[in-house]
């Protein structure tokens, strides 16, 4: 049962055969290499090897010389080309140089890192904010540091790879509950021994299917069992709640969530990760959290663009409204065409189209690309329950015309591939 | 039937829906090797064992369990603790 510790959400975690002494260490990947070669030999383009030759805007790029609508970038709020954001980055490059060449706890904290943390504290209304070099590292840091050998981390089975990897890096006892099941969470918390601390790990939006967590009920159950709660809002920030804080804001549980983890690589439009909290001892994490201490800090231009973007996101109510409109319209359009979707209605800015098998999924992906629409392909074991998916993530900068064009191209590709009749 | 035999029988019942090839079950039956389960099946199955016996099998413990016999022993230990 050793593969149970492996992460079902991560394709790299397929169980691999043991290597015999003297054998090439790469031989364990032979099956994967063969599968990939067979796929590419069938004449399709590599869904995991796409190159964008030029990026024209948050929603348009040139791929193989062709103008392509971007529908798989997680660039929800379209901040990557915001003039204020770009200016801030250029200024920081001029004034502070290209990189810090240091850890946050040594020479890697500049005025810009402080300002970025201030922007986060203001955005989330919290006492503390800690900026990491990526969102992955923020989760790695929190999970591996906060819970010790005698403590329990209780996580959703569909948790992101960074959460699983953070658990694997630490020593805590790990318990999984069935995806989004309040009852299953309650039962498992009820079975924990009286000793040991408890951390319940939830995500606002689950990125594979674009479904959201019933956070009001889940946080209530976690608190009933005296657990601390962390919510990962990687795919919820910028979009949910009156202030764009995330699903936990919309669910009205802000005062009961102990930590919020997030990323700058989605709505914020650059790269980096963070944790915000009101815990009075939170700042000690800067000294004990290895993925924070033992890596270089973000370049000055990156934290400057992040801070500027976060300040603007707070007041981006109109963009939020348009993004919702886009998501609902695409969901309805695809549903009416007869596509099978992962959620009954649009729950987030991710719309996942279910397809029967790998061959159909790759062919459909390629047909859309040839028509000028880029979406993400996802396959088992990265997906839950062995699903083959084409995932669309919408942007507040997609125009109504572009959404119409996307729906028309899905119709053309779907008919050509025999996915819809 | 001893307690252990009873536990074995119950676990075997829970394996049945996932035992597509009808592999004969003994203490030595391995989940990955004999039953050829992937991580998704393991997760579903572990959850059903936990619910049947009202116990928690942490992922840390699961990493040590490779055969049906080891699982039955672990379930016995957990029930006696509780």
């Amino acid at each position: 049962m050793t593969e149970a510790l492996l992460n079902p959400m991560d394709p790299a975690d397929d169980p691999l055969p043991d290597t015999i002494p003297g054998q090439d260490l790469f031989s364990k990947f032979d099956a994967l290499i063969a599968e990939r070669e067979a796929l590419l030999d069938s004449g399709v383009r590599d869904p995991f090897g796409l190159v964008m030759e030029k990026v024209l805007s948050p929603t348009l790029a040139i791929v193989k010389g062709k103008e392509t609508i971007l529908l798989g970038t997680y660039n929800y709020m379209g901040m990557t080309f915001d003039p204020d954001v770009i200016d801030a980055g250029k200024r920081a490059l001029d004034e502070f140089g290209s990189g810090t060449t240091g850890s946050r706890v040594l020479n890697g904290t500049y005025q810009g890192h402080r300002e970025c943390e201030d922007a986060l504290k203001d955005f989330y209304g919290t006492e503390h904010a800690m900026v990491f070099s990526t969102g992955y590292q923020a989760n790695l840091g929190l999970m591996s540091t906060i819970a010790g050998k005698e403590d329990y981390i209780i996580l959703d089975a569909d948790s992101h790879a960074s959460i699983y990897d953070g658990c694997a890096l630490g020593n805590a006892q790990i318990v999984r509950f069935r995806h989004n099941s309040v009852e299953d969470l309650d039962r498992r918390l009820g079975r924990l021994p009286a000793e040991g601390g408890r951390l319940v790990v939830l995500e606002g939006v689950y990125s594979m299917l674009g479904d959201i967590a019933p956070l009001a009920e889940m946080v209530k159950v976690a608190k009933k069992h005296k657990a601390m709660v962390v919510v990962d809002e990687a795919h919820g920030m910028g979009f949910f709640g009156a202030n764009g804080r995330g699903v936990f804001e919309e669910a009205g549980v802000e005062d009961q969530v102990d930590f919020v983890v997030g990323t700058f690589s989605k709505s914020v439009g650059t790269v980096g990760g963070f944790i915000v909290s009101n815990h009075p001892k939170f700042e000690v994490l800067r000294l004990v959290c290895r993925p924070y201490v033992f890596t270089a800090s973000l370049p000055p231009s990156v934290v400057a663009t992040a801070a500027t973007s976060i300040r603007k996101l707070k007041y981006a109510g109109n963009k939020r409204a348009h993004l919702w409109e886009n998501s609902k319209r695409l969901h309805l359009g695809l549903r009416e065409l007869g596509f099978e979707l992962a959620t009954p209605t649009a729950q987030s800015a991710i719309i996942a189209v279910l397809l029967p098998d790998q061959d159909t999924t790759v062919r459909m992906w390629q047909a859309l690309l040839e028509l000028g629409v880029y979406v993400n392909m996802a396959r088992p074991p990265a997906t839950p329950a062995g699903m083959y998916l084409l995932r669309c993530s919408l942007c507040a900068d997609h125009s109504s015309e572009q959404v119409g064009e996307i729906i028309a191209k899905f119709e053309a590709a779907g008919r050509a591939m025999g996915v819809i009749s | 039937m001893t307690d252990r035999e009873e536990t074995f029988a119950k676990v075997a019942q829970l394996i049945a829906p996932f035992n597509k090839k009808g592999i004969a079950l003994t203490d030595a039956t391995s989940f990955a090797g004999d039953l050829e389960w992937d991580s998704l099946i393991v997760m579903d199955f572990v959850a059903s064992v936990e619910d049947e016996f009202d116990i928690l099998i942490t992922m840390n413990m699961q990493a040590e369990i490779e055969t049906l016999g080891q699982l039955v022993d672990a379930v016995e230990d957990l029930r006696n603790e509780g």
Side-chain angles (χ1 to χ4, degrees):
Chain A
M1 221 186 284
T2 33
E3 79 270 45
L5 243 190
L6 299 170
N7 173 13
M9 306 306 289
D10 184 348
D13 276 351
D14 259 340
L16 298 170
D18 296 332
T19 306
I20 305 162
Q23 203 177 11
D24 181 358
L25 289 169
F26 279 89
S27 61
K28 61 174 79 65
F29 305 117
D30 285 350
L32 182 61
I33 291 169
E35 187 201 321
R36 208 178 127 75
E37 277 172 359
L39 179 72
L40 297 180
D41 286 349
S42 72
V44 297
R45 285 161 73 172
D46 182 358
F48 303 119
L50 180 113
V51 176
M52 309 220 177
E53 289 132 27
K54 280 186 185 168
V55 181
L56 308 176
S57 74
T59 63
L60 279 179
I62 304 290
V63 179
K64 280 208 172 176
K66 187 181 165 65
E67 196 170 289
T68 304
I69 300 178
L70 301 175
L71 190 65
T73 62
Y74 299 144
N75 190 357
Y76 300 121
M77 296 297 279
M79 300 304 284
T80 48
F81 281 84
D82 182 281
D84 296 331
V85 169
I86 304 265
D87 275 354
K90 284 181 177 164
R91 246 191 346 265
L93 260 177
D94 285 341
E95 290 172 15
F96 290 92
S98 58
T100 67
T101 71
S103 156
R104 285 298 309 274
V105 290
L106 297 172
N107 55 312
T109 295
Y110 289 10
Q111 186 60 24
H113 297 82
R114 181 66 57 77
E115 283 172 14
C116 190
E117 289 175 342
D118 288 344
L120 279 167
K121 285 191 270 185
D122 184 52
F123 185 85
Y124 278 100
T126 54
E127 293 290 315
H128 309 281
M130 197 168 152
V131 167
F132 288 74
S133 295
T134 66
Y136 177 87
Q137 280 169 307
N139 266 332
L140 217 54
L142 186 66
M143 305 308 149
S144 65
T145 308
I146 196 93
K149 200 173 182 328
E150 310 300 322
D151 301 321
Y152 286 82
I153 294 180
I154 303 95
L155 52 87
D156 187 292
D158 284 4
S159 290
H160 187 260
S162 57
I163 293 170
Y164 276 102
D165 291 358
C167 291
L169 186 64
N171 301 311
Q173 304 302 310
I174 311 300
V175 173
R176 289 197 282 195
F177 60 91
R178 290 179 176 98
H179 177 55
N180 271 352
S181 169
V182 178
E183 189 198 359
D184 213 50
L185 170 64
D186 191 15
R187 248 194 328 250
R188 273 157 184 73
L189 283 167
R191 288 180 198 148
L192 288 174
E195 325 69 67
R198 302 162 176 198
L199 178 70
V200 170
V201 185
L202 306 167
E203 292 178 47
V205 177
Y206 286 87
S207 65
M208 279 295 149
L209 305 183
D211 53 336
I212 63 168
L215 287 183
E217 294 83 355
M218 294 194 127
V219 170
K220 192 175 164 197
V221 161
K223 289 296 160 188
K224 181 180 87 179
H225 292 283
K226 309 219 178 321
M228 290 180 104
V229 175
V230 51
V231 180
D232 183 326
E233 289 287 358
H235 295 270
M237 182 186 185
F239 182 35
F240 287 87
N243 296 295
R245 289 172 182 164
V247 179
F248 78 109
E249 183 190 13
E250 193 150 300
V253 291
E254 279 183 274
D255 56 336
Q256 295 165 71
V257 168
D258 299 272
F259 309 98
V260 174
V261 175
T263 179
F264 298 158
S265 62
K266 301 190 166 54
S267 285
V268 177
T270 176
V271 65
F274 65 86
I275 310 173
V276 294
S277 176
N278 282 323
H279 196 288
K281 296 177 185 169
F282 183 75
E283 294 292 325
V284 75
L285 285 181
R286 293 187 202 270
L287 302 177
V288 295
C289 192
R290 297 172 67 90
Y292 177 86
V293 175
F294 293 102
T295 196
S297 67
L298 289 167
S301 54
V302 170
V303 281
T305 53
T308 306
S309 177
I310 291 162
R311 287 187 210 113
K312 291 192 83 167
L313 282 177
K314 188 173 172 184
Y315 303 104
N318 288 342
K319 277 193 156 194
R320 281 194 264 288
H322 186 62
L323 180 53
W324 262 122
E325 263 169 40
N326 282 347
S327 304
K328 286 178 179 164
R329 178 151 168 241
L330 180 64
H331 195 286
L332 181 68
L334 294 179
R335 211 166 56 210
E336 282 177 349
L337 285 172
F339 285 102
E340 194 185 337
L341 305 182
T343 53
T345 53
Q347 294 186 4
S348 69
I350 299 171
I351 311 290
V353 181
L354 305 183
L355 291 162
D357 52 55
Q358 169 146 309
D359 184 53
T360 312
T361 311
V362 177
R363 286 190 304 115
M364 183 73 195
W365 175 84
Q366 174 157 323
L368 282 166
L369 193 58
E370 308 284 328
L371 291 169
V373 177
Y374 169 73
V375 298
N376 296 138
M377 184 184 137
R379 49 159 233 159
T383 52
M387 291 172 173
Y388 289 90
L389 306 172
L390 288 183
R391 274 181 316 150
C392 312
S393 59
L394 286 135
C395 176
D397 279 5
H398 279 126
S399 64
S400 303
E401 293 74 38
Q402 277 179 319
V403 178
E405 214 178 310
I406 291 164
I407 295 170
K409 287 176 175 175
F410 257 93
E411 180 173 16
R415 290 203 204 290
M417 296 302 124
V419 173
I420 53 169
S421 50
Chain B
M1 250 202 285
T2 64
D3 285 352
R4 192 181 186 285
E5 282 166 352
E6 215 169 291
T7 300
F8 186 99
K10 274 191 186 159
V11 173
Q13 262 175 28
L14 295 171
I15 289 175
F18 305 105
N19 187 3
K20 302 279 182 242
K21 289 185 179 169
I23 305 284
L25 300 178
T26 69
D27 273 349
T29 304
S30 95
F31 296 100
D34 298 324
L35 292 167
E36 298 177 18
W37 285 358
D38 62 22
S39 50
L40 290 173
I41 296 182
V42 167
M43 200 201 73
D44 271 356
F45 169 69
V46 168
S48 68
V49 173
E50 288 179 324
D51 290 344
E52 171 69 32
F53 297 100
D54 198 24
I55 53 173
L56 277 182
I57 308 173
T58 63
M59 289 180 72
N60 320 49
M61 293 169 71
Q62 289 168 38
E64 305 293 317
I65 299 171
E66 286 177 9
T67 65
L68 177 52
Q70 289 168 345
L71 176 64
V72 172
D73 290 337
V75 170
E76 286 287 282
D77 289 347
L78 287 164
R79 292 178 79 191
N80 294 334
E81 277 172 30

